[in-house]
Every structure is written in structure tokens, then in C-alpha cells.
Amino acid sequence: MPGAIPAARAGDLLGITEDVPPFTYLERGRFVGLANEVLDRVAAQSGLRVQRSIQPFARGLKTVEDLPNSFLYVVVRTPAREPLYRWVGPLDDCDLVVMTLRSSGVDFSPHAPDARALRIGVIKGSPAGKMVREAGMPERSIYQTPGSETSTRMLYAGHLDMVAGLSLPYQHQAARLGLDAGQLMVAHVLQKGYGCYFAFNRQVNEALFQRFAAAFEALRSSGELKTLQDRAAQARAAGR
């Protein structure tokens, strides 16, 4: 069952992820996407046995908080989160943005007189919620959702005016749902380049963490990480 936590064997790391295409998602029972390709190579390089479980983001945060030899991916490395985890990455720049539909005609203007009428979707537990509040969006305008698929459906159905978070998952979800992804546009950039990472419980076994981190660095320094990133970008451009 995708959401179940597998029983850990001695020496294993447990990776908790969510449905965040094109970075990580399930396809016919397999973990696919850029982050999982990187994870496959890190595991092969390091000899680590990495088990994976897919959960809603808010539940994944709690799981990793409770299990020392576990990590969450992909996670935006914000200043507020910096002391909470040990980090390996980045996988991507992962700009945080506010998106809307081209046909909607709405702007991200938190201080405008009609701002309270706007409805903006944020994924529960994500930094985008905090950032839109800090930008001045009133609390009554912010709708928390379990994930990017739900937010995308609500946006296209007219139940939301905007969504906030990473742009690529919303674009991918729209295409996967048979919606016109070309209608999505960035209305506002909340934060550029915090980056998406593997975020480890701070109590992770030091030897396991160092093996994982060293394998990721080898992947980066060899140029293989860049090759995987470029291949993922080409697949997105081709609509796959």
C-alpha cells in the first residue's frame, strides 16, 4: 500500500516522499521522477538500502520527525527549516511562486481593496503558506490543500483563484489531468532559489548520513546529476 510505512531492516534508511511530479511520484507502482532517479543512483553508489513510502506532505513531516534514520524528499530549504534537518542537495533551484490561469485576469495584490475576495491554495505544511501571509495575503484568502493535484483541480474548476508553491508540480499535474498546462502563468515570485533537498532527521546515524551525502556529492561532481536534470527537462519539454 503506497501510504504504509515499510518495516525497516537494520542499516536501512527510510525515504518519505509525496506526489510532487515531476520530482517524485508513483507510476504503475514504481517511484519515478528526477528525485527518485537520483536516489536510485545514490543507493547504488553508497550500498545503502533505502526504502520509500509516499505520504501527504504534512504526514510525512511527522513521520520523519519520529524516525531517526529517515529523510523527507523533496523539501525546500528555507531559513526557518535550516536547523530542523540535516541536508543533502540541492536537486533543483525550486523557486517558490504564485500561479494563476491566464484566463482569470487576477493579480497577486495582497494590499488591494479586493484582496480578501481572492482564494489562494497552499499545500499544508509547505513554506508557501507562510510566505503568502508574510506578503500580506489575509488569512481568510488562504486555503490549505493536501497536495498539488488537489490544488490544481481546484484552480481549474474555479474553486481557487491562485496556487502557491513550486511551479513544475502544478504544470505537471495539469498535463497529467488532461488540462491545458499552457494556461498556467506565474503571477508573483515569492522566493528564488532556496533549492529542493533531501531533509534528514537530525538524529540520523552519522555513518549512514555520510555515506548518503558522499554518494550524492560524487553524483554531482561527476556531472551525472546535471545529466539527469537535463534529461528530465527535455522530457518535460517533449510533454512526457
Side-chain angles (χ1 to χ4, degrees), residues 31-146:
F31 287 90
V32 296
L34 173 61
N36 285 301
E37 290 188 57
V38 171
L39 191 50
D40 289 340
R41 283 159 177 77
V42 166
Q45 171 82 13
S46 65
L48 291 167
R49 296 173 297 182
V50 180
Q51 299 178 80
R52 299 173 224 200
S53 176
I54 191 165
Q55 300 178 13
F57 188 70
R59 179 146 56 98
L61 286 170
K62 184 66 168 63
T63 299
V64 171
E65 180 184 323
D66 293 341
L67 297 176
N69 288 337
S70 66
F71 61 92
L72 190 65
Y73 70 106
V74 292
V75 181
V76 178
R77 188 175 181 173
T78 65
R81 286 174 172 167
E82 184 67 33
L84 303 179
Y85 303 98
R86 299 187 68 180
W87 303 90
V88 176
L91 291 160
D92 190 86
D93 289 342
C94 289
D95 297 342
L96 290 166
V97 301
V98 176
M99 304 192 80
T100 189
L101 299 180
R102 296 182 188 279
S103 58
S104 70
V106 299
D107 296 315
F108 185 76
S109 303
H111 302 292
D114 60 349
R116 293 180 183 275
L118 289 176
R119 300 158 299 171
I120 182 167
V122 300
I123 297 169
K124 186 177 181 181
S126 77
K130 181 174 184 289
M131 289 183 180
V132 296
R133 291 181 182 92
E134 290 174 345
M137 188 61 69
E139 190 67 35
R140 70 181 67 180
S141 290
I142 300 171
Y143 292 73
Q144 295 193 64
T145 75

Side-chain angles (χ1 to χ4, degrees), residues 185-232:
M185 60 174 283
V186 174
H188 179 74
V189 177
L190 291 166
Q191 177 65 50
K192 288 189 68 64
Y194 274 150
C196 287
Y197 287 72
F198 298 98
F200 283 76
N201 182 301
R202 291 198 61 82
Q203 302 305 313
V204 62
N205 177 276
E206 185 65 23
L208 298 180
F209 178 79
Q210 292 300 335
R211 284 166 64 186
F212 189 105
F216 182 90
E217 178 56 27
L219 196 68
R220 188 199 63 76
S221 60
S222 70
E224 190 174 0
L225 175 61
K226 181 65 163 56
T227 298
L228 292 174
Q229 291 169 331
D230 290 345
R231 191 171 73 190

